[in-house]
Amino acid sequence: MFSGLGRFVVRRPWWIILAWVVAAGAVISLAPKLTSSSDEASFLPDHYESIRAADVQEADFPKQQNVGAIIVFRRSDGGKLTAADSADVARISKDLRAKKIPEVQAVVPGAVSPNKLVQTSVVAMPKITNPEDTAQQDAVKDLRSDLKPQLKSTDLSAGITGSAAQALDESDASARAGLLVGVGTIVIIIVLLLVIFRSPIIALLPVVLIGLISPMATGLIASANKAFDMKADSSIQQLLTVVLFGVGTDYILFLLFRYREALRAGEDPKGGMVHAVERVGEAITSAAGAVIVAFAALTLSSLGMLRSMGPALAIAVFVTLLAGLTLVPAVVSLLGTKVFWPSKSWQREPQGTGFARLGAAIARKPAVWALVSALFMGALTLGALGYKANFDLAGSSLPKDKESMVALDDLQKGFPAGTTDPTFVYLTSKDDTPLPAARTAAFRGQLDGVEGVGEVSAPRLSTDRTTASYSVILSDPPASDQALATVKDRLRPIAHEDAPTGTEALVGGTTAVYVDINKAVDRDYSVVFPVAALAIMVILGLLLRSLVAPWYLMLSVALGFGATLGATSLLFQQIGSQPGLMFMLPVIMYLFVVALGTDYNILMVSRLREEAREGRTPHDAAGTAVRHSGPTIGSAGVILAGTFATLMLAGNSTLSQMGFSLSFGILIAAFVMAMIFTPALTALIGHTAWWPGHGDEKRNGGGGKRLDGADRPDEEQVGVDLDADGMRS
């Protein structure tokens, strides 16, 4: 099949290129804009308690003022606030309210903190219904601008924090991150390809071709999101950039290395490209299939952010695969050997390379190499025992010098850390009878006595008096482990148990959302991981016609995943002293390291099978496979790791964690799993590795010449013939 595809593409390159240009233009012009959401609650299913609590608030307290921002005042000299200072706070709050800034419903001065160091003014804003609406962020910009001249005649300094202020600062940081990631990805790809091939044409080839398909993939994703009402996480654009350029460059490299190998063996340029598509097509299709089904497994997630991320990334990889099998061969077949200009390395194979020496060493002592690589990954896996999840994606990802973070730090010097984002408890009558005042007051007392609760407001009653709302300020930051433990282990159980007879209590708010997300992620680990692993094993089994090889190939990627999580935990939690890793990082890491790591395993094991079919012993097949596939896998791994590493340029701890973990995982997958562990273990297992299909058996007795100068099957045997024009027919 792939031989026929290669012949078709090489004979009609201009038609293929034109078809891609027309398709890209149509998709880009017709597709809606790709939107994203950073509202964690919008990703949870309706049956979770925090969502049910939000529904109660929406129904019974539709005009309840939402704390959108908090102005934090303190004396410029760091001293205690005076009565005159408090008067200035009241005046400034009144003046800001009088400016009628859109989205600002009220600016209400609060009490001075017990230690007299801080005073706040609460900025009420409506509840956000459209995650793409930036009106509240614009309101914070106006407030910050108007606040500065108000402070000049006072002894006060002030900053604005809260959810809207953090969203504004995060948006500014994300815009910078997107630019850095995009530019950094392209620069790294160009530089590394220049080093590897010494050809400016090859260095620019992925940038130009993937630059064409990138907006096309984005358009298809946006159309799918709109058609199926999916919400994309706010980090999806950065991920799409590195996935498209990273994976796309990998597939281009797989093709170019095999094309260069064919040219070195004496093939003409067009015949060499047909040969490259034929030999690599099955491997990259299977590899892309493994990535796609792994990403598609995310549709089983209970979290909307992961459920929408999976199809988005799967679409991106599918488009990249199509381009790798059609667009890239078409362009390269037009360029011929000029694609390598000015380098002449395509004319001869270097001798005594590091990969040849590594292959020879593995062939001699596969048991030693298998054991050493397994112990290395196993030792790093021990670091995963210290993994902790972090849910404060906004706070932990923002630089500490951002105004919202500085103001938050000031706030916590005088008030409970949960002041910026209260938890809400709703007490509802089951039979629609009004709630007695004595019961609501007593219930408030029960809540106030919960360990970890700093303050509980007096209850607000709905219009029909059947629901009471309690604002609960926690003693710890809303996204901290301590706050989550307070809601999960104490506040919710006590609220449920102590709710008066005939009533139901629901606990909502941001901290409650995080508790429910944690529960949903735990559930996803038990569903998504096994399904993705099983799907990949099925693809491996079908590709290799083996029931044995998929097991140890998945063992290798499992070790790679554990090593990656362990190294990331050690770096960011132990050395970097961060409170934890992004809560969904293990899921993303698992899918990328397992799926993309399987890419390299598939490429290596396909070459192992190919060498075994030529009559080589298992040990010799391993050595030769490392010699020929090592440069491809090594180059692809370095480039893909480099593209993921650009996420660390963002100055954002969340993206830094993702960038390090994915780049480290790819390097482990390329240089330890695929290049050492897999060929060494395959050499040890020998013929049994291919049971029951025994796809390693020599085909028709062999004969002819191999591309590396050794024996190879006749041209007829691999399903190709050369016509008079040098084309494969």
Side-chain angles (χ1 to χ4, degrees):
M1 180 181 78
F2 292 102
S3 177
L5 176 63
R7 291 194 299 271
F8 179 83
V9 170
V10 167
R11 285 172 171 169
R12 300 168 181 84
W14 286 112
W15 286 107
I16 298 294
I17 294 170
L18 179 62
W20 272 96
V21 171
V22 171
V27 170
I28 295 169
S29 61
L30 297 175
K33 179 184 176 183
L34 178 63
T35 58
S36 61
S37 172
S38 58
D39 178 14
E40 288 87 355
S42 69
F43 296 116
L44 279 169
D46 293 340
H47 66 270
Y48 281 96
E49 183 173 343
S50 58
I51 305 303
R52 292 165 56 208
D55 291 340
V56 170
Q57 184 266 319
E58 200 68 39
D60 293 335
F61 301 94
K63 296 182 179 180
Q64 177 175 304
Q65 290 183 334
N66 177 58
V67 179
I70 297 177
I71 307 174
V72 182
F73 296 91
R74 63 180 180 85
R75 284 189 61 86
S76 301
D77 59 10
K80 294 186 177 182
L81 294 167
T82 64
D85 293 329
S86 292
D88 285 335
V89 170
R91 176 184 57 79
I92 291 172
S93 300
K94 181 179 178 182
D95 289 347
L96 290 175
R97 184 171 61 249
K99 290 184 178 294
K100 304 292 185 182
I101 297 173
E103 296 294 304
V104 175
Q105 296 174 323
V107 183
V108 183
V112 179
S113 66
N115 60 9
K116 306 291 185 181
L117 293 178
V118 179
Q119 186 172 359
T120 62
S121 189
V122 176
V123 180
M125 295 180 175
K127 181 179 174 65
I128 296 177
T129 56
N130 178 12
E132 296 304 312
D133 187 357
T134 60
Q136 293 193 5
Q137 296 178 33
D138 295 335
V140 172
K141 283 184 185 178
D142 293 339
L143 284 169
R144 285 175 173 173
S145 176
D146 294 336
L147 180 60
K148 289 180 181 178
Q150 296 278 356
L151 296 170
K152 287 184 178 179
S153 59
T154 71
D155 296 322
L156 299 171
S157 64
I160 302 179
T161 187
S163 58
Q166 285 191 341
L168 172 62
D169 290 342
E170 188 179 16
S171 176
D172 291 341
S174 295
R176 173 176 172 271
L179 178 62
L180 284 172
V181 169
V183 173
T185 297
I186 293 172
V187 169
I188 283 179
I189 288 174
I190 291 175
V191 170
L192 290 177
L193 285 176
L194 274 174
V195 171
I196 293 167
F197 286 98
R198 298 179 180 84
S199 166
I201 297 176
I202 290 180
L204 293 173
L205 190 64
V207 176
V208 174
L209 296 186
I210 300 171
L212 170 67
I213 67 172
S214 178
M216 181 180 179
T218 302
L220 290 173
I221 292 166
S223 299
N225 283 356
K226 182 177 181 180
F228 298 101
D229 192 28
M230 296 187 295
K231 298 181 177 71
D233 177 59
S234 56
S235 64
I236 189 65
Q237 194 62 60
Q238 284 84 21
L239 272 178
L240 277 176
T241 299
V242 294
V243 166
L244 284 166
F245 279 93
V247 175
T249 303
D250 266 12
Y251 294 162
I252 291 174
L253 280 177
F254 292 170
L255 193 72
L256 285 176
F257 270 101
R258 201 59 188 254
Y259 178 54
R260 187 173 68 178
E261 186 179 335
L263 293 175
R264 285 171 174 171
E267 296 269 13
D268 66 277
K270 292 186 180 297
M273 179 51 66
V274 176
H275 178 90
V277 173
E278 176 198 354
R279 290 299 179 95
V280 176
E282 183 182 27
I284 67 172
T285 301
S286 301
V291 178
I292 290 169
V293 298
F295 287 157
L298 284 175
T299 57
L300 300 175
S301 171
S302 55
L303 288 175
M305 66 181 78
L306 295 178
R307 202 163 53 245
S308 62
M309 182 186 294
L313 297 178
I315 289 171
V317 173
F318 180 71
V319 173
T320 304
L321 171 65
L322 290 181
L325 292 175
T326 56
L327 180 61
V328 176
V331 172
V332 175
S333 68
L334 286 175
L335 295 171
T337 58
K338 294 183 180 67
V339 75
F340 298 103
W341 180 88
S343 173
K344 301 293 185 182
S345 62
W346 62 271
Q347 296 176 345
R348 63 195 179 279
E349 181 179 358
Q351 300 298 317
T353 64
F355 294 106
R357 291 192 293 271
L358 175 62
I362 292 174
R364 284 195 303 270
K365 297 181 178 180
V368 172
W369 286 96
L371 181 62
V372 169
S373 57
L375 288 176
F376 172 73
M377 292 187 286
L380 285 177
T381 299
L382 295 177
L385 299 176
Y387 163 76
K388 289 174 60 180
N390 176 34
F391 292 84
D392 187 11
L393 299 188
S396 65
S397 65
L398 283 173
K400 298 304 179 185
D401 59 350
K402 286 290 186 180
E403 181 176 331
S404 60
M405 301 306 294
V406 174
L408 178 62
D409 185 57
D410 289 339
L411 177 69
Q412 294 176 3
K413 293 174 182 176
F415 289 101
T419 303
T420 59
D421 208 339
T423 293
F424 290 95
V425 179
Y426 298 97
L427 185 68
T428 304
S429 173
K430 291 181 179 179
D431 56 6
D432 293 332
T433 58
L435 295 171
R439 284 190 171 187
T440 57
F443 186 64
R444 177 193 179 189
Q446 297 290 340
L447 299 178
D448 202 23
V450 174
E451 180 185 351
V453 169
E455 180 183 333
V456 181
S457 68
R460 295 180 63 238
L461 293 177
S462 60
T463 305
D464 59 5
R465 303 183 65 83
T466 60
T467 302
S469 170
Y470 302 83
S471 176
V472 180
I473 295 177
L474 303 179
S475 303
D476 302 293
S480 66
D481 289 343
Q482 295 86 347
L484 267 66
T486 296
V487 170
K488 177 185 175 183
D489 300 331
R490 295 184 291 276
L491 183 59
R492 269 185 176 170
I494 289 175
H496 296 164
E497 293 169 7
D498 293 348
T501 304
T503 65
E504 179 187 33
L506 296 174
V507 179
T510 301
T511 305
V513 168
Y514 290 145
V515 170
D516 290 340
I517 287 178
N518 196 16
K519 182 179 179 181
V521 169
D522 288 342
R523 175 261 178 199
D524 289 349
Y525 288 162
S526 64
V527 175
V528 176
F529 281 20
V531 169
L534 181 62
I536 292 174
M537 286 185 69
V538 169
I539 289 177
L540 289 171
L542 293 174
L543 169 67
L544 303 174
R545 279 75 168 173
S546 168
L547 295 178
V548 177
W551 286 98
Y552 68 81
L553 292 177
M554 288 306 297
L555 170 64
S556 73
V557 293
L559 283 171
F561 167 76
T564 303
L565 182 58
T568 308
S569 299
L570 288 172
L571 178 63
F572 287 95
Q573 293 180 199
Q574 305 302 321
I575 299 175
S577 301
Q578 291 192 10
L581 303 181
M582 179 181 60
F583 68 91
M584 62 179 180
L585 185 61
V587 177
I588 296 173
M589 188 188 304
Y590 175 85
L591 292 170
F592 275 93
V593 174
V594 170
L596 297 178
T598 301
D599 271 15
Y600 302 138
N601 263 344
I602 287 175
L603 193 69
M604 177 58 74
V605 82
S606 295
R607 190 62 187 242
L608 283 164
R609 181 182 61 179
E610 185 179 328
E611 298 301 334
R613 284 176 174 175
E614 305 302 338
R616 298 185 186 276
T617 66
H619 286 217
D620 288 342
T624 307
V626 171
R627 171 189 167 192
H628 285 294
S629 294
T632 309
I633 294 172
S635 300
V638 168
I639 290 176
L640 187 57
T643 58
F644 280 125
T646 59
L647 292 170
M648 300 176 69
L649 299 173
N652 174 316
S653 66
T654 298
L655 289 177
S656 292
Q657 291 175 10
M658 191 181 298
F660 171 80
S661 63
L662 296 181
S663 58
F664 184 84
I666 292 301
L667 291 176
I668 288 285
F671 289 95
V672 182
M673 287 162 43
M675 210 175 297
I676 298 175
F677 186 79
T678 294
L681 206 55
T682 303
L684 284 175
I685 297 173
H687 186 59
T688 306
W690 312 100
W691 183 88
H694 296 311
D696 63 325
E697 291 179 343
K698 198 172 182 180
R699 299 292 180 88
N700 298 332
K705 291 290 182 183
R706 281 177 45 82
L707 287 177
D708 58 2
D711 289 343
R712 62 169 286 185
D714 294 322
E715 290 293 340
E716 181 181 359
Q717 196 175 305
V718 292
V720 291
D721 292 302
L722 295 178
D723 60 20
D725 298 325
M727 291 283 295
R728 291 180 180 269
S729 57

